[in-house]
């Protein structure tokens, strides 16, 4: 039976809200836009709280649910994607308890990495806050118990990804240092797979691959998050004429021309501030 839409029925423009501390969540947004091209998008960069990776668990657990509560009230999203490993591994239970709508989180892609590693040595490259989470121990135990799982937190790589997205030049040596944090550990010489456990890092995966001393498999969770979002919105009707995506910043700073251009490339044509 085909559904008959009442004449004059209002279009449902409620968006998907994609959230990160900065531009990292754009790597997830790209996959979501591919799979759900008609979904209206509100992308939130909490630049007022950036970076998350050097904050304490208590700071993140307090900030993220409160902020998402305000955002949910203002934008009435159908679903929220926390496109940030740091926020998800620390604050996901708090957000789910506070909000009555579907929340998709981002967790380090250890399971798919374990499916691909031949040498059974993988690296988890994330923020300092993410790599020290018990969540990472738990994923390693459940999905990679026969692997050596090396970990390295790099705040520098987060800044490099932000700068690179704004169109600024970033030196090879800085990427080499980030990867050396894994390669130079005991067992690192056998590592064949690297989990990009921060959503900023897929934005610079080509730079990491280019300076790697040998071919490495880089794995991230963006495709899985997009699939989960599709499943959870299966019964939603999307508007025929989708409004341009909006980027929201939490601090009153003016984005550079380079950042504006990059946001446009991800379909975010309007900018606003919380
Ligand atoms: N993009 C974030 C993540 O996935 C965090 C970056 C930061 O703010 O330190 O962990």
């Amino acid at each position: 039976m085909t559904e008959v839409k009442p004449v004059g029925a209002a279009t449902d423009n409620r968006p998907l809200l994609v959230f990160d501390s900065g531009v990292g969540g754009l790597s997830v947004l790209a996959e979501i836009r591919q799979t759900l091209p008609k979904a209206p998008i509100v992308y939130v960069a909490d630049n007022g709280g950036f970076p998350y990776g050097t904050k304490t668990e208590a700071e993140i657990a307090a900030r993220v649910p409160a902020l998402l509560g305000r955002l949910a009230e203002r934008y009435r999203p159908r679903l929220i994607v926390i496109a940030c490993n740091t926020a998800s591994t620390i604050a996901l239970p708090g957000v789910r308890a506070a909000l009555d709508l579907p929340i998709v989180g981002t967790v380090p892609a250890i399971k798919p990495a374990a499916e691909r590693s031949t040498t059974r040595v993988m690296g988890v490259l994330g923020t300092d806050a993410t790599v020290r989470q018990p969540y990472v121990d738990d994923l390693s135990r459940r999905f990679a118990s026969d692997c050596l799982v090396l970990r390295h937190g790099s705040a520098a790589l987060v800044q490099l990804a932000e700068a690179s997205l704004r169109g600024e030049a970033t030196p090879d040596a800085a990427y080499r240092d980030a990867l050396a944090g894994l390669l130079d550990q005991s067992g690192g010489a056998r590592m064949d797979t690297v989990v990009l456990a921060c959503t900023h890092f897929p934005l610079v995966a080509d730079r990491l691959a280019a300076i790697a001393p040998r071919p490495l498999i880089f794995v991230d969770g963006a495709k899985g998050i997009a699939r989960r979002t599709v499943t959870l919105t299966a019964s939603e009707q999307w508007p025929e004429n989708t409004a341009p995506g909006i980027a929201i910043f939490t601090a009153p700073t003016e984005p550079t021309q380079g950042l504006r251009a990059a946001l446009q490339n991800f379909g975010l044509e309007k900018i606003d501030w919380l």
Side-chain angles (χ1 to χ4, degrees):
M1 206 173 80
T2 38
E3 197 191 329
V4 180
K5 223 178 175 185
V7 178
T11 309
D12 185 354
N13 282 316
R14 287 173 307 132
L16 299 180
L17 192 150
V18 181
F19 175 83
D20 183 37
S21 59
V23 299
L26 296 174
S27 65
V28 176
L29 176 61
E31 292 295 339
I32 292 174
R33 281 175 49 85
Q34 286 240 328
T35 48
L36 294 170
K38 289 189 167 176
I41 299 291
V42 168
Y43 180 86
V44 181
D46 180 16
N47 61 332
F50 175 88
Y52 282 2
T54 50
K55 292 197 160 41
T56 64
E57 281 73 359
E59 285 172 304
I60 293 164
R63 183 176 183 92
V64 174
L67 183 53
L68 284 173
R70 278 176 68 198
L71 289 162
E73 226 163 74
R74 178 174 300 198
Y75 296 102
R76 302 272 163 213
R78 306 174 199 230
L79 173 147
I80 292 176
V81 178
I82 304 182
C84 173
N85 291 258
T86 312
S88 299
T89 54
I90 295 169
L92 201 51
V95 173
R96 289 203 167 120
L99 297 180
D100 189 18
L101 79 171
I103 312 288
V104 179
T106 305
V107 297
I110 289 174
K111 185 174 182 231
E115 286 160 7
R116 298 190 61 186
S117 171
T118 310
T119 62
R120 311 316 282 157
V121 180
M122 70 168 82
V124 176
L125 192 56
T127 65
D128 291 301
T130 295
V131 299
R132 67 171 180 253
Q133 291 314 306
Y135 208 112
V136 177
D137 301 321
D138 186 50
L139 290 173
S140 306
R141 214 172 15 246
R142 284 167 57 206
F143 302 115
S145 57
D146 65 332
C147 293
L148 173 62
V149 181
L150 307 172
R151 306 175 190 196
H152 178 61
S154 175
L157 195 52
V158 174
Q159 301 288 354
L160 286 168
E162 290 271 333
S164 166
L165 193 98
R166 289 193 297 265
E168 295 167 21
T170 49
D172 280 351
Y175 296 95
R176 199 170 291 122
D177 286 349
L179 208 52
L182 292 170
L183 289 165
D184 292 353
Q185 290 183 39
S186 162
R190 286 184 296 118
M191 179 178 78
D192 66 349
T193 306
V194 176
V195 179
L196 298 176
C198 167
T199 52
H200 279 73
F201 300 169
L203 298 174
V204 291
D206 55 338
R207 298 293 303 274
L208 291 168
I211 56 83
R214 57 177 186 277
L216 294 170
I217 304 167
F218 291 97
V219 182
D220 68 71
K223 280 199 163 57
I225 295 164
R227 276 197 301 273
R228 184 78 190 130
T229 305
V230 169
T231 304
L232 290 176
T233 55
S235 59
E236 298 284 336
Q237 306 280 330
W238 302 110
E240 274 313 310
N241 301 312
T242 310
I246 309 174
I248 310 291
F249 292 96
T250 59
T253 49
E254 194 53 49
T256 62
Q257 266 316 106
L259 178 53
R260 278 181 185 271
L263 293 172
Q264 275 196 0
N265 286 339
F266 285 88
L268 303 172
E269 295 183 17
K270 286 167 65 182
I271 292 180
D272 207 348
W273 290 265
L274 187 65

